[in-house]
Amino acid sequence: MSANDKQRQLTGRQVFIWFVCFFAVVIVTNVVFVRLAVTSFPGEEVEKSYYQGLHYNQVLETKEEQASLGWRMQLIGVPESDADQTITVRLIDRAGKPVYVADVTGEVVRPMTDSGRQPLAFTSLGDGRYRTTLAAIDRGAWDLTLKAAEQDSNEPVFSAETRIIIE
């Protein structure tokens, strides 16, 4: 055997080092990706999701009651990032006539996270239209939730959700 052949010979020690290095790279990569995943989305956003699941039949009954009303929400004015920061909605019934309620509230929030959550209080403009003003809002997708209640009522008669895109 020449000296050149001895240098190219694969030994058990070299195989062991390559084996350890390979799995070290795999483990480090997995740790990095798990850390990135957990810090970007820590898990469930719904508080007390277990208890909400237990009362899901009540949620379905409420949705059926709301569907029997035939009310709908129409977005009339959606804010633009550089312009007026107002949202205007119109509540209409099955026949397209305006719906008048005493109290309209809601919130906007980024999808899949609580960042930027803003509670909203709408004021009536007449003709079933309601408007609210937002604090500074960034571009992108936002979820708008609206709840309408009769005077002196804690339970909403109508609720609606929609996604708005701020450009």
Side-chain angles (χ1 to χ4, degrees):
M1 235 191 255
S2 70
N4 221 5
D5 289 339
K6 239 183 181 182
Q7 287 177 349
R8 294 178 188 228
Q9 188 177 13
L10 186 63
T11 65
R13 183 177 176 166
Q14 291 173 330
V15 171
F16 178 72
I17 290 172
W18 278 103
F19 183 78
V20 169
C21 289
F22 171 77
F23 281 104
V25 169
V26 169
I27 290 169
V28 167
T29 303
N30 284 338
V31 167
V32 168
F33 281 127
V34 166
R35 173 118 172 93
L36 289 172
V38 170
T39 57
S40 65
F41 182 63
E44 73 180 81
E45 281 296 322
V46 178
E47 292 182 28
K48 301 180 182 178
S49 58
Y50 174 75
Y51 294 109
Q52 286 184 357
L54 291 177
H55 301 291
Y56 191 64
N57 285 339
Q58 183 180 0
V59 170
L60 292 177
E61 289 173 11
T62 303
K63 288 191 180 275
E64 284 179 16
E65 290 172 13
Q66 181 176 314
S68 69
L69 291 173
W71 292 5
R72 291 178 294 156
M73 172 185 70
Q74 292 178 330
L75 279 171
I76 297 174
V78 178
E80 295 178 9
S81 61
D82 301 332
D84 191 10
Q85 298 290 314
T86 61
I87 295 177
T88 307
V89 298
R90 185 165 187 240
L91 299 180
I92 57 174
D93 64 11
R94 193 174 277 118
K97 295 180 181 172
V99 172
Y100 301 97
V101 290
D103 187 33
V104 179
T105 59
E107 69 178 7
V108 291
V109 64
R110 288 275 194 191
M112 301 300 291
T113 180
D114 275 340
S115 71
R117 181 181 298 267
Q118 289 186 40
L120 305 173
F122 288 81
T123 55
S124 177
L125 301 175
D127 194 32
R129 293 177 299 132
Y130 300 87
R131 177 178 288 157
T132 189
T133 303
L134 300 167
I137 191 166
D138 295 330
R139 292 180 176 183
W142 292 85
D143 287 337
L144 168 66
T145 303
L146 180 123
K147 294 182 180 184
E150 297 294 336
Q151 188 139 7
D152 300 327
S153 174
N154 292 338
E155 292 298 316
V157 176
F158 174 76
S159 64
E161 296 178 11
T162 190
R163 179 152 299 162
I164 57 176
I165 307 294
I166 308 298
E167 296 180 7

